[in-house]
Amino acid sequence: MDAETLRQYLEYYQDLGIKTLYRRAAPEPLANARGSVTEPRPSGSGEPLFRILDDIGDCRRCRLHEQRNKIVFGVGNEQSKLVFVGEGPGADEDAQGIPFVGRAGQLLTQMIEGTAKKEGIPLLRKDVYICNVVKCRPPENRQPQPDEMEICGQFLARQLLAISPKAICALGSTAAKYLTHSKEGVTRMRGNWYKWNDIPVMVTYHPSYLLRAYNVEPKREAWEDLKKVLHFVYD
Ligand code: URA
């Protein structure tokens, strides 16, 4: 990486309010409770999330169960006005049973909290809800296959209907395509609103892509997308 690209990276992270760069150590504690957005909201379908988890049980409905360690259901505020949906658990998530706790998850946390802080919105990671299209880690981090998403998607749908957020943020192409049925690439979709069952869906890049992206432009764009969705939900 040349000096100019490195400078752009550092500037971007600084803009997000990030003061330290990652180490592959234990995940950061999930933010403390003070001064955050936790107003109670009526739930949608009325189904408690524990019942959905209960129905998932020791799921063997698709081949993804064969190599998983833990089912990764979801984490956060069950009454959140905003739900982030990723693709599927990676190695760290599979080990801990919690979505977005690896490097991509740390970036997601910093993006949510850094952008919210900069925009004057008192929001911490624990105030939103975070889950994935599939709940078991695809081997070698491959993309989930259509039948796996179909089978597991029923649980995502129940989660979304139960939480009934004001908006959903789809992280990356798999979640975006699954939720919206669009055939477009994520580069075209990002920054735009779609709908899932009448709930607005904002599409943005997956944090894993942002960790790899050489160019600083996608990072700036993801930041714009996040600002858009945060203002829509919390203004
Ligand atoms: N990538 C995802 O899509 N989800 C996770 O939970 C972690 C990484």
mmCIF file of all heavy atoms in Angstrom, residues 37-69:
data_model
loop_
_atom_site.group_PDB
_atom_site.id
_atom_site.type_symbol
_atom_site.label_atom_id
_atom_site.label_comp_id
_atom_site.label_asym_id
_atom_site.label_seq_id
_atom_site.Cartn_x
_atom_site.Cartn_y
_atom_site.Cartn_z
ATOM 1 N N VAL A 37 -29.914 5.100 22.508
ATOM 2 C CA VAL A 37 -31.310 5.130 22.059
ATOM 3 C C VAL A 37 -31.994 3.806 22.380
ATOM 4 O O VAL A 37 -31.748 2.811 21.737
ATOM 5 C CB VAL A 37 -31.343 5.345 20.536
ATOM 6 C CG1 VAL A 37 -32.773 5.429 20.054
ATOM 7 C CG2 VAL A 37 -30.577 6.588 20.160
ATOM 8 N N THR A 38 -32.832 3.803 23.378
ATOM 9 C CA THR A 38 -33.473 2.539 23.743
ATOM 10 C C THR A 38 -34.972 2.693 24.001
ATOM 11 O O THR A 38 -35.534 2.019 24.827
ATOM 12 C CB THR A 38 -32.839 1.928 25.015
ATOM 13 O OG1 THR A 38 -32.785 2.953 25.986
ATOM 14 C CG2 THR A 38 -31.473 1.362 24.761
ATOM 15 N N GLU A 39 -35.586 3.642 23.329
ATOM 16 C CA GLU A 39 -37.010 3.852 23.606
ATOM 17 C C GLU A 39 -37.807 2.589 23.249
ATOM 18 O O GLU A 39 -37.525 1.927 22.241
ATOM 19 C CB GLU A 39 -37.546 5.050 22.823
ATOM 20 C CG GLU A 39 -37.442 4.885 21.334
ATOM 21 C CD GLU A 39 -37.679 6.191 20.594
ATOM 22 O OE1 GLU A 39 -36.766 7.018 20.533
ATOM 23 O OE2 GLU A 39 -38.783 6.359 20.083
ATOM 24 N N PRO A 40 -38.780 2.224 24.074
ATOM 25 C CA PRO A 40 -39.528 1.004 23.800
ATOM 26 C C PRO A 40 -40.374 1.141 22.542
ATOM 27 O O PRO A 40 -40.850 2.217 22.224
ATOM 28 C CB PRO A 40 -40.429 0.846 25.032
ATOM 29 C CG PRO A 40 -40.354 2.126 25.766
ATOM 30 C CD PRO A 40 -39.202 2.923 25.263
ATOM 31 N N ARG A 41 -40.498 0.056 21.803
ATOM 32 C CA ARG A 41 -41.291 0.068 20.584
ATOM 33 C C ARG A 41 -42.217 -1.137 20.581
ATOM 34 O O ARG A 41 -41.859 -2.187 21.070
ATOM 35 C CB ARG A 41 -40.372 -0.056 19.369
ATOM 36 C CG ARG A 41 -39.757 1.237 18.914
ATOM 37 C CD ARG A 41 -38.681 0.970 17.886
ATOM 38 N NE ARG A 41 -39.044 -0.021 16.878
ATOM 39 C CZ ARG A 41 -39.885 0.180 15.877
ATOM 40 N NH1 ARG A 41 -40.490 1.324 15.741
ATOM 41 N NH2 ARG A 41 -40.131 -0.766 15.016
ATOM 42 N N PRO A 42 -43.398 -0.984 20.014
ATOM 43 C CA PRO A 42 -44.271 -2.149 19.919
ATOM 44 C C PRO A 42 -43.654 -3.150 18.948
ATOM 45 O O PRO A 42 -43.052 -2.760 17.958
ATOM 46 C CB PRO A 42 -45.558 -1.567 19.327
ATOM 47 C CG PRO A 42 -45.149 -0.288 18.666
ATOM 48 C CD PRO A 42 -43.939 0.206 19.379
ATOM 49 N N SER A 43 -43.797 -4.423 19.231
ATOM 50 C CA SER A 43 -43.204 -5.385 18.301
ATOM 51 C C SER A 43 -44.213 -5.721 17.211
ATOM 52 O O SER A 43 -45.418 -5.539 17.368
ATOM 53 C CB SER A 43 -42.753 -6.629 19.043
ATOM 54 O OG SER A 43 -43.863 -7.254 19.605
ATOM 55 N N GLY A 44 -43.719 -6.218 16.093
ATOM 56 C CA GLY A 44 -44.541 -6.429 14.903
ATOM 57 C C GLY A 44 -45.458 -7.628 15.008
ATOM 58 O O GLY A 44 -46.638 -7.500 15.339
ATOM 59 N N SER A 45 -44.918 -8.815 14.747
ATOM 60 C CA SER A 45 -45.761 -10.015 14.727
ATOM 61 C C SER A 45 -46.176 -10.414 16.136
ATOM 62 O O SER A 45 -47.066 -11.241 16.303
ATOM 63 C CB SER A 45 -44.994 -11.166 14.081
ATOM 64 O OG SER A 45 -43.841 -11.455 14.854
ATOM 65 N N GLY A 46 -45.505 -9.858 17.124
ATOM 66 C CA GLY A 46 -45.820 -10.224 18.506
ATOM 67 C C GLY A 46 -45.119 -11.507 18.921
ATOM 68 O O GLY A 46 -45.232 -11.943 20.062
ATOM 69 N N GLU A 47 -44.411 -12.109 17.977
ATOM 70 C CA GLU A 47 -43.717 -13.358 18.321
ATOM 71 C C GLU A 47 -42.419 -13.036 19.054
ATOM 72 O O GLU A 47 -41.592 -12.292 18.545
ATOM 73 C CB GLU A 47 -43.392 -14.142 17.045
ATOM 74 C CG GLU A 47 -42.708 -15.454 17.342
ATOM 75 C CD GLU A 47 -42.526 -16.328 16.106
ATOM 76 O OE1 GLU A 47 -42.159 -15.795 15.036
ATOM 77 O OE2 GLU A 47 -42.752 -17.524 16.214
ATOM 78 N N PRO A 48 -42.218 -13.591 20.223
ATOM 79 C CA PRO A 48 -40.949 -13.330 20.909
ATOM 80 C C PRO A 48 -39.792 -14.036 20.197
ATOM 81 O O PRO A 48 -39.972 -15.140 19.661
ATOM 82 C CB PRO A 48 -41.161 -13.920 22.306
ATOM 83 C CG PRO A 48 -42.356 -14.786 22.235
ATOM 84 C CD PRO A 48 -43.121 -14.452 20.988
ATOM 85 N N LEU A 49 -38.636 -13.375 20.181
ATOM 86 C CA LEU A 49 -37.505 -13.957 19.453
ATOM 87 C C LEU A 49 -37.089 -15.300 20.042
ATOM 88 O O LEU A 49 -36.612 -16.179 19.326
ATOM 89 C CB LEU A 49 -36.322 -12.986 19.438
ATOM 90 C CG LEU A 49 -36.507 -11.711 18.608
ATOM 91 C CD1 LEU A 49 -35.215 -10.908 18.576
ATOM 92 C CD2 LEU A 49 -36.945 -12.009 17.182
ATOM 93 N N PHE A 50 -37.296 -15.475 21.350
ATOM 94 C CA PHE A 50 -36.862 -16.750 21.948
ATOM 95 C C PHE A 50 -37.634 -17.930 21.361
ATOM 96 O O PHE A 50 -37.145 -19.045 21.292
ATOM 97 C CB PHE A 50 -36.929 -16.718 23.483
ATOM 98 C CG PHE A 50 -38.318 -16.726 24.055
ATOM 99 C CD1 PHE A 50 -39.046 -17.909 24.126
ATOM 100 C CD2 PHE A 50 -38.899 -15.556 24.517
ATOM 101 C CE1 PHE A 50 -40.337 -17.916 24.650
ATOM 102 C CE2 PHE A 50 -40.181 -15.558 25.044
ATOM 103 C CZ PHE A 50 -40.899 -16.738 25.103
ATOM 104 N N ARG A 51 -38.866 -17.646 20.905
ATOM 105 C CA ARG A 51 -39.649 -18.738 20.312
ATOM 106 C C ARG A 51 -39.063 -19.160 18.953
ATOM 107 O O ARG A 51 -39.037 -20.339 18.601
ATOM 108 C CB ARG A 51 -41.113 -18.303 20.138
ATOM 109 C CG ARG A 51 -41.977 -19.437 19.609
ATOM 110 C CD ARG A 51 -43.427 -19.287 19.962
ATOM 111 N NE ARG A 51 -43.676 -19.142 21.380
ATOM 112 C CZ ARG A 51 -44.595 -18.334 21.918
ATOM 113 N NH1 ARG A 51 -45.347 -17.592 21.135
ATOM 114 N NH2 ARG A 51 -44.760 -18.269 23.213
ATOM 115 N N ILE A 52 -38.579 -18.167 18.231
ATOM 116 C CA ILE A 52 -37.954 -18.468 16.926
ATOM 117 C C ILE A 52 -36.676 -19.280 17.162
ATOM 118 O O ILE A 52 -36.423 -20.285 16.503
ATOM 119 C CB ILE A 52 -37.640 -17.156 16.160
ATOM 120 C CG1 ILE A 52 -38.910 -16.303 16.024
ATOM 121 C CG2 ILE A 52 -37.042 -17.468 14.793
ATOM 122 C CD1 ILE A 52 -38.668 -14.880 15.543
ATOM 123 N N LEU A 53 -35.922 -18.843 18.147
ATOM 124 C CA LEU A 53 -34.680 -19.554 18.499
ATOM 125 C C LEU A 53 -34.990 -20.979 18.935
ATOM 126 O O LEU A 53 -34.301 -21.932 18.565
ATOM 127 C CB LEU A 53 -33.961 -18.792 19.619
ATOM 128 C CG LEU A 53 -32.599 -19.317 20.042
ATOM 129 C CD1 LEU A 53 -31.627 -19.326 18.865
ATOM 130 C CD2 LEU A 53 -32.026 -18.461 21.164
ATOM 131 N N ASP A 54 -36.058 -21.085 19.664
ATOM 132 C CA ASP A 54 -36.506 -22.390 20.137
ATOM 133 C C ASP A 54 -36.858 -23.298 18.951
ATOM 134 O O ASP A 54 -36.521 -24.482 18.928
ATOM 135 C CB ASP A 54 -37.747 -22.160 21.005
ATOM 136 C CG ASP A 54 -37.867 -23.237 22.046
ATOM 137 O OD1 ASP A 54 -36.846 -23.540 22.681
ATOM 138 O OD2 ASP A 54 -38.989 -23.789 22.183
ATOM 139 N N ASP A 55 -37.538 -22.718 17.964
ATOM 140 C CA ASP A 55 -37.904 -23.494 16.773
ATOM 141 C C ASP A 55 -36.673 -23.901 15.968
ATOM 142 O O ASP A 55 -36.662 -24.954 15.342
ATOM 143 C CB ASP A 55 -38.845 -22.683 15.869
ATOM 144 C CG ASP A 55 -40.269 -22.696 16.394
ATOM 145 O OD1 ASP A 55 -40.528 -23.436 17.366
ATOM 146 O OD2 ASP A 55 -41.110 -21.960 15.850
ATOM 147 N N ILE A 56 -35.677 -23.046 15.954
ATOM 148 C CA ILE A 56 -34.441 -23.405 15.237
ATOM 149 C C ILE A 56 -33.822 -24.622 15.911
ATOM 150 O O ILE A 56 -33.386 -25.564 15.249
ATOM 151 C CB ILE A 56 -33.446 -22.211 15.204
ATOM 152 C CG1 ILE A 56 -34.005 -21.086 14.341
ATOM 153 C CG2 ILE A 56 -32.089 -22.668 14.685
ATOM 154 C CD1 ILE A 56 -33.115 -19.850 14.246
ATOM 155 N N GLY A 57 -33.854 -24.608 17.242
ATOM 156 C CA GLY A 57 -33.368 -25.756 18.017
ATOM 157 C C GLY A 57 -31.960 -26.143 17.611
ATOM 158 O O GLY A 57 -31.116 -25.288 17.322
ATOM 159 N N ASP A 58 -31.715 -27.435 17.540
ATOM 160 C CA ASP A 58 -30.412 -27.946 17.091
ATOM 161 C C ASP A 58 -30.547 -28.242 15.590
ATOM 162 O O ASP A 58 -30.531 -29.388 15.161
ATOM 163 C CB ASP A 58 -30.077 -29.212 17.886
ATOM 164 C CG ASP A 58 -28.716 -29.759 17.493
ATOM 165 O OD1 ASP A 58 -27.867 -28.974 17.027
ATOM 166 O OD2 ASP A 58 -28.510 -30.978 17.639
ATOM 167 N N CYS A 59 -30.722 -27.172 14.827
ATOM 168 C CA CYS A 59 -31.171 -27.269 13.431
ATOM 169 C C CYS A 59 -30.279 -28.162 12.567
ATOM 170 O O CYS A 59 -29.063 -28.034 12.565
ATOM 171 C CB CYS A 59 -31.232 -25.863 12.830
ATOM 172 S SG CYS A 59 -31.959 -25.844 11.198
ATOM 173 N N ARG A 60 -30.918 -29.064 11.845
ATOM 174 C CA ARG A 60 -30.214 -29.898 10.846
ATOM 175 C C ARG A 60 -30.964 -29.849 9.533
ATOM 176 O O ARG A 60 -30.967 -30.813 8.773
ATOM 177 C CB ARG A 60 -30.144 -31.348 11.336
ATOM 178 C CG ARG A 60 -29.092 -31.549 12.415
ATOM 179 C CD ARG A 60 -29.497 -32.549 13.449
ATOM 180 N NE ARG A 60 -28.721 -32.327 14.660
ATOM 181 C CZ ARG A 60 -27.687 -33.080 15.019
ATOM 182 N NH1 ARG A 60 -27.322 -34.100 14.307
ATOM 183 N NH2 ARG A 60 -27.025 -32.805 16.129
ATOM 184 N N ARG A 61 -31.645 -28.717 9.287
ATOM 185 C CA ARG A 61 -32.496 -28.637 8.098
ATOM 186 C C ARG A 61 -31.698 -28.521 6.812
ATOM 187 O O ARG A 61 -32.218 -28.770 5.739
ATOM 188 C CB ARG A 61 -33.449 -27.442 8.226
ATOM 189 C CG ARG A 61 -34.485 -27.589 9.347
ATOM 190 C CD ARG A 61 -35.233 -26.277 9.529
ATOM 191 N NE ARG A 61 -36.236 -26.305 10.582
ATOM 192 C CZ ARG A 61 -35.975 -26.100 11.867
ATOM 193 N NH1 ARG A 61 -34.719 -25.898 12.288
ATOM 194 N NH2 ARG A 61 -36.948 -26.113 12.763
ATOM 195 N N CYS A 62 -30.449 -28.059 6.887
ATOM 196 C CA CYS A 62 -29.636 -27.986 5.664
ATOM 197 C C CYS A 62 -28.213 -28.425 5.968
ATOM 198 O O CYS A 62 -27.840 -28.621 7.124
ATOM 199 C CB CYS A 62 -29.659 -26.577 5.043
ATOM 200 S SG CYS A 62 -28.445 -25.438 5.733
ATOM 201 N N ARG A 63 -27.412 -28.551 4.905
ATOM 202 C CA ARG A 63 -26.058 -29.105 5.055
ATOM 203 C C ARG A 63 -25.138 -28.219 5.898
ATOM 204 O O ARG A 63 -24.091 -28.684 6.345
ATOM 205 C CB ARG A 63 -25.438 -29.369 3.671
ATOM 206 C CG ARG A 63 -25.176 -28.136 2.849
ATOM 207 C CD ARG A 63 -24.721 -28.451 1.443
ATOM 208 N NE ARG A 63 -25.823 -28.777 0.562
ATOM 209 C CZ ARG A 63 -26.656 -27.874 0.014
ATOM 210 N NH1 ARG A 63 -26.503 -26.580 0.266
ATOM 211 N NH2 ARG A 63 -27.639 -28.245 -0.769
ATOM 212 N N LEU A 64 -25.507 -26.959 6.104
ATOM 213 C CA LEU A 64 -24.615 -26.077 6.867
ATOM 214 C C LEU A 64 -24.427 -26.540 8.316
ATOM 215 O O LEU A 64 -23.477 -26.152 8.972
ATOM 216 C CB LEU A 64 -25.126 -24.629 6.845
ATOM 217 C CG LEU A 64 -25.039 -23.901 5.492
ATOM 218 C CD1 LEU A 64 -25.502 -22.455 5.644
ATOM 219 C CD2 LEU A 64 -23.625 -23.944 4.930
ATOM 220 N N HIS A 65 -25.348 -27.388 8.786
ATOM 221 C CA HIS A 65 -25.204 -27.820 10.184
ATOM 222 C C HIS A 65 -23.998 -28.737 10.371
ATOM 223 O O HIS A 65 -23.448 -28.837 11.454
ATOM 224 C CB HIS A 65 -26.478 -28.532 10.665
ATOM 225 C CG HIS A 65 -26.550 -29.980 10.286
ATOM 226 N ND1 HIS A 65 -27.061 -30.409 9.083
ATOM 227 C CD2 HIS A 65 -26.130 -31.094 10.925
ATOM 228 C CE1 HIS A 65 -26.984 -31.726 9.021
ATOM 229 N NE2 HIS A 65 -26.425 -32.168 10.128
ATOM 230 N N GLU A 66 -23.558 -29.357 9.260
ATOM 231 C CA GLU A 66 -22.552 -30.417 9.387
ATOM 232 C C GLU A 66 -21.233 -29.910 9.967
ATOM 233 O O GLU A 66 -20.572 -30.616 10.710
ATOM 234 C CB GLU A 66 -22.299 -31.072 8.009
ATOM 235 C CG GLU A 66 -23.490 -31.925 7.564
ATOM 236 C CD GLU A 66 -23.449 -32.257 6.079
ATOM 237 O OE1 GLU A 66 -22.407 -32.011 5.432
ATOM 238 O OE2 GLU A 66 -24.471 -32.756 5.569
ATOM 239 N N GLN A 67 -20.861 -28.683 9.585
ATOM 240 C CA GLN A 67 -19.549 -28.200 10.033
ATOM 241 C C GLN A 67 -19.621 -27.036 11.020
ATOM 242 O O GLN A 67 -18.603 -26.495 11.406
ATOM 243 C CB GLN A 67 -18.721 -27.800 8.811
ATOM 244 C CG GLN A 67 -18.345 -29.020 7.989
ATOM 245 C CD GLN A 67 -17.495 -28.650 6.796
ATOM 246 O OE1 GLN A 67 -16.487 -27.972 6.928
ATOM 247 N NE2 GLN A 67 -17.913 -29.077 5.629
ATOM 248 N N ARG A 68 -20.822 -26.674 11.386
ATOM 249 C CA ARG A 68 -20.913 -25.521 12.294
ATOM 250 C C ARG A 68 -20.547 -25.919 13.724
ATOM 251 O O ARG A 68 -20.679 -27.081 14.109
ATOM 252 C CB ARG A 68 -22.332 -24.959 12.297
ATOM 253 C CG ARG A 68 -23.308 -25.866 13.019
ATOM 254 C CD ARG A 68 -24.451 -25.178 13.706
ATOM 255 N NE ARG A 68 -25.188 -26.123 14.475
ATOM 256 C CZ ARG A 68 -26.361 -26.662 14.128
ATOM 257 N NH1 ARG A 68 -26.962 -26.307 13.015
ATOM 258 N NH2 ARG A 68 -26.929 -27.550 14.920
ATOM 259 N N ASN A 69 -20.108 -24.925 14.476
ATOM 260 C CA ASN A 69 -19.964 -25.116 15.921
ATOM 261 C C ASN A 69 -21.187 -24.575 16.639
ATOM 262 O O ASN A 69 -21.843 -25.290 17.367
ATOM 263 C CB ASN A 69 -18.690 -24.427 16.426
ATOM 264 C CG ASN A 69 -17.464 -25.228 16.019
ATOM 265 O OD1 ASN A 69 -17.344 -26.391 16.372
ATOM 266 N ND2 ASN A 69 -16.578 -24.622 15.246
#
